[in-house]
Amino acid sequence: SSDLRQSVLSDMTQESMLQQYVRKQGYYAGDAALYNYLSAIPAFQDNGKFSDDAYKTALSRRGLTPAHFEAQLRDSLEIDQMRDAVIDTAFVNEAAVAQAYRLDNEQRALAYAVFDYKKYLAGVTVTDDQVKVRYETDKPRYMAPERVKLAYLELSMDDMPKADAPKQDVLKVIYDAEKDSLFTTPEQRRARHILVAFGADKAASKAKIEAIAAKLKGGADFAELAKAESDDSGSKAQGGELGWIQHGQMVAPFDKELFGLKAGETSDPVQTEFGWHLIQLEEVRPKAVKPFDSAEVQQQLVNVYQQRELQKRFQEQSEKLEQLAFENPASLDAAAKALDLKVQTTDWITRDGGTGLAANATVKQMAFAKETITDGDNSKPITLSPGHVVVIRKADYEAPRQKTLQEVADTIRDALKDDAARAKAQVDAQQMAAAARAGRPLAELATARGVILKTPGLVRRDNIAEDKQVIQTLFRLPHPQKDGDVSAANTQLADGDAVVVAMTAVQEPVWPPQDKDGIASAQQDTSQLREVVAGAEFAGYRQAIAQQIKTKVVNPPVADNPNPDD
């Protein structure tokens, strides 16, 4: 939709503007900051530790490369540095906190009465002329939407039969080709490390790591030193424990040193982009290869073969489906016959979509495309999910049309009756509220009008037991002028009922609070108010940046056109 396009464009513009600004101002996210952020993301961890394999796999699933992702992340971290510099300096004074506390903890004595509009329906009469006038006045509201029925062919890999298991020589070829990736567990090493980050003084960090190395040679416990001295927040509490590591998971200098150690050995200081490391190798798991003739391997090989055959046949049939649908654009019959598929038909679909096939965004878009509606052609294959495609075409179509008065008369009549009943309920509520403000007793007024007066008593702004509209109206009322006075107003609830809301007293909180709950509430108010101030200050700062970095939208989103042929 155009609203979504405008929102995305606005977000991208803001991000680009802030990126330009932080670069100009010299903000920079170094490798250590990048690593600390990445290592804390659960999706990139294995057994609670950063895993290079998990990292690359997670990015691959999203179509990202580490270089591209890390470049984006640096931009984000640099913007965060600038944002934090503004937000972290925000503060609020005691007067503002006191006001917020009083507003949050003020209590008001509530009484209210609901006028059910449905009780007024029996006294409402709507004429045919009124229905006709409403129809003519609001004709655009009574349009039948554009809709289409689709004929389609569905090709799914899940519906295809599996190939028979192949002979052993075929499985052996697959085994030899996939042995390293599927049936081999590479050598793994369990290690600890102590990190001393470079900081502002690289020479001082080297002196520190050498001093730690001397303590280790003197018999100090590696884990205890890691807890006390390491700068790696991810492993420090575990005594530097890194878990099991494979070749290539760590940066090159670290990896080379680790895989050159023997079990129980501790390295000399190793320099990487993150600082200085001491590495202790605790245990080695040697490389292991599952044998070809094991039952587990045999079954896995058969599964690999059958899956590849399925993918091959699905690809062949997908290509054939695309070719036949293109060569026979006016019908799906030729493709259905050649591929032994059944032409199916959907129910009516509007631009809002529907269920099943019609819930797919691409199908909804193609269903109302010019090629489908006007030209009447078959679509290209649409991928619903991996191994699942459809080709669609128009089976039936109805353009937007004006509904007749006869079609909508009952709907209009009901709406007019509801409107009139709600208006009557509001008149009674308005009269009761005025009488209450004039000093008439609430209970007497409620009894006279046949409504129930509810008296929950003292309530706060955050009350959730009563209707939200009732609470909002209560806290908009002016304070009573003197004891015994009533402040009252009428309003309408979301379901159309009218309601009279009355306030008979106000209880102000004591400032500063003395009790435990009050002190906790004041602390929460201080925190929330500071967040509001911080957000406002950053919004102002961002506006100031926008004055420096001008933006021009070359092709702004245009309003959606429900009639693509217009």
Side-chain angles (χ1 to χ4, degrees):
S1 69
S2 60
D3 287 344
L4 178 59
R5 292 195 297 273
Q6 181 59 58
S7 175
V8 173
L9 177 62
S10 178
D11 288 345
M12 294 176 68
T13 303
Q14 288 282 327
E15 183 179 1
S16 179
M17 177 186 73
L18 295 177
Q19 285 173 359
Q20 292 182 43
Y21 180 77
V22 296
R23 287 169 186 157
K24 182 178 179 181
Q25 296 299 315
Y27 289 95
Y28 178 70
D31 291 337
L34 189 69
Y35 176 76
N36 287 338
Y37 186 91
L38 291 174
S39 62
I41 297 176
F44 301 157
Q45 295 176 351
D46 184 11
N47 293 325
K49 305 292 181 184
F50 178 77
S51 165
D52 190 62
D53 283 347
Y55 173 54
K56 291 178 179 176
T57 300
L59 294 186
S60 178
R61 287 176 185 153
R62 292 161 178 78
L64 298 171
T65 64
H68 180 67
F69 178 73
E70 289 165 17
Q72 288 183 322
L73 183 56
R74 284 185 199 275
D75 288 339
S76 179
L77 291 175
E78 288 161 3
I79 292 173
D80 287 346
Q81 289 177 11
M82 180 269 292
R83 181 186 291 109
D84 292 345
V86 176
I87 290 176
D88 290 347
T89 60
F91 67 93
V92 292
N93 58 31
E94 184 179 353
V97 174
Q99 178 69 3
Y101 178 80
R102 291 190 183 100
L103 290 173
D104 284 347
N105 293 278
E106 177 187 86
Q107 297 187 78
R108 297 187 171 196
L110 168 66
Y112 68 97
V114 176
F115 292 75
D116 184 351
Y117 83 91
K118 290 185 276 306
K119 292 182 179 180
Y120 294 81
L121 288 171
V124 174
T125 301
V126 175
T127 66
D128 291 342
D129 285 342
Q130 288 175 306
V131 172
K132 186 175 181 180
V133 169
R134 172 65 65 89
Y135 174 75
E136 294 296 337
T137 302
D138 292 343
K139 261 190 173 182
R141 295 179 56 186
Y142 308 116
M143 293 288 295
E146 176 185 27
R147 61 181 189 168
V148 64
K149 280 186 178 180
L150 299 176
Y152 66 97
L153 293 179
E154 183 176 17
L155 184 63
S156 173
M157 197 160 61
D158 292 340
D159 297 333
M160 296 180 177
K162 290 184 178 180
D164 295 333
K167 295 181 179 179
Q168 288 291 296
D169 57 342
V170 176
L171 295 182
K172 187 63 167 62
V173 171
I174 299 174
Y175 175 80
D176 291 339
E178 304 294 341
K179 182 166 60 177
D180 289 342
S181 60
L182 296 180
F183 306 112
T184 300
T185 302
E187 178 185 332
Q188 295 178 307
R189 297 191 163 211
R190 188 162 63 88
R192 298 178 184 270
H193 87 133
I194 297 172
L195 170 66
V196 175
F198 291 138
D201 190 342
K202 192 171 183 179
S205 65
K206 184 175 182 182
K208 181 178 178 181
I209 199 73
E210 289 173 344
I212 296 172
K215 291 180 182 180
L216 291 172
K217 289 178 181 178
D221 183 76
F222 193 98
E224 293 303 318
L225 276 178
K227 290 179 181 178
E229 303 288 353
S230 181
D231 291 331
D232 181 4
S233 58
S235 67
K236 179 176 182 175
Q238 292 77 40
E241 176 67 48
L242 294 173
W244 291 99
I245 300 169
Q246 297 178 16
H247 252 311
Q249 287 186 326
M250 309 301 285
V251 291
F254 191 108
D255 188 84
K256 181 179 179 181
E257 187 67 29
L258 173 60
F259 281 85
L261 295 174
K262 295 179 181 179
E265 285 186 340
T266 300
S267 73
D268 292 329
V270 179
Q271 181 180 349
T272 73
E273 61 200 79
F274 304 110
W276 293 97
H277 305 258
L278 289 170
I279 307 167
Q280 185 180 76
L281 177 61
E282 297 188 304
E283 188 179 350
V284 177
R285 281 180 184 167
K287 174 181 176 181
V289 181
K290 295 179 182 179
F292 171 73
D293 54 3
S294 77
E296 178 189 353
V297 170
Q298 287 285 305
Q299 184 58 55
Q300 190 171 354
L301 288 169
V302 171
N303 292 342
V304 169
Y305 171 80
Q306 290 177 330
Q307 186 63 24
R308 288 178 179 176
E309 286 298 303
L310 271 179
Q311 291 172 342
K312 180 181 177 181
R313 278 187 286 140
F314 176 78
Q315 183 64 30
E316 291 171 348
Q317 292 204 22
S318 294
E319 292 174 355
K320 192 170 184 180
L321 174 61
E322 181 174 12
Q323 178 186 352
L324 291 170
F326 175 76
E327 292 175 348
N328 304 273
S331 173
L332 294 172
D333 293 341
K337 183 177 180 180
L339 297 172
D340 194 24
L341 297 174
K342 180 182 177 182
V343 178
Q344 304 179 68
T345 307
T346 69
D347 200 351
W348 286 107
I349 300 171
T350 68
R351 287 183 178 270
D352 292 332
T355 60
L357 183 69
N360 181 273
T362 307
V363 171
K364 286 191 292 184
Q365 180 181 5
M366 286 301 301
F368 291 91
K370 178 178 180 295
E371 297 86 347
T372 306
I373 299 300
T374 305
D375 301 341
D377 291 341
N378 297 329
S379 73
K380 292 182 179 179
I382 300 169
T383 300
L384 302 181
S385 62
H388 189 190
V389 300
V390 294
V391 170
I392 65 172
R393 67 173 290 101
K394 177 181 68 178
D396 200 358
Y397 175 76
E398 287 185 359
R401 65 176 180 84
Q402 180 70 56
K403 291 182 180 180
T404 65
L405 175 59
Q406 185 178 2
E407 286 180 278
V408 297
D410 289 342
T411 300
I412 294 175
R413 191 179 304 276
D414 289 343
L416 288 170
K417 291 181 70 174
D418 284 349
D419 290 347
R422 291 188 181 107
K424 286 177 177 290
Q426 279 294 337
V427 169
D428 281 357
Q430 188 175 18
Q431 291 174 350
M432 178 176 169
R437 291 192 297 269
R440 294 277 300 279
L442 288 168
E444 176 186 309
L445 292 170
T447 301
R449 286 162 176 77
V451 294
I452 298 173
L453 182 67
K454 297 182 181 180
T455 55
L458 291 171
V459 297
R460 290 161 48 105
R461 293 175 188 272
D462 57 0
N463 180 284
I464 59 173
E466 306 300 335
D467 187 280
K468 182 179 179 181
Q469 183 63 26
V470 169
I471 299 299
Q472 288 179 346
T473 303
L474 174 68
F475 280 89
R476 291 193 188 106
L477 291 173
H479 287 203
Q481 294 297 314
K482 60 181 184 296
D483 290 343
D485 283 358
V486 172
S487 186
N490 63 289
T491 187
Q492 190 174 59
L493 302 181
D495 61 4
D497 290 341
V499 60
V500 173
V501 180
M503 176 177 63
T504 57
V506 177
Q507 182 174 299
E508 298 280 0
V510 176
W511 178 266
Q514 303 299 318
D515 61 292
K516 181 179 178 180
D517 290 342
I519 293 172
S521 177
Q523 291 173 341
Q524 183 179 13
D525 285 339
T526 302
S527 176
Q528 291 176 344
L529 189 57
R530 184 189 172 281
E531 288 180 6
V532 171
V533 171
E537 288 183 355
F538 182 71
Y541 192 71
R542 189 170 53 198
Q543 289 175 0
I545 294 173
Q547 296 299 316
Q548 299 180 40
I549 301 176
K550 303 297 183 181
T551 301
K552 179 181 180 182
V553 179
V554 178
N555 293 309
V558 295
D560 295 314
N561 184 2
N563 301 309
D565 293 333
D566 290 352

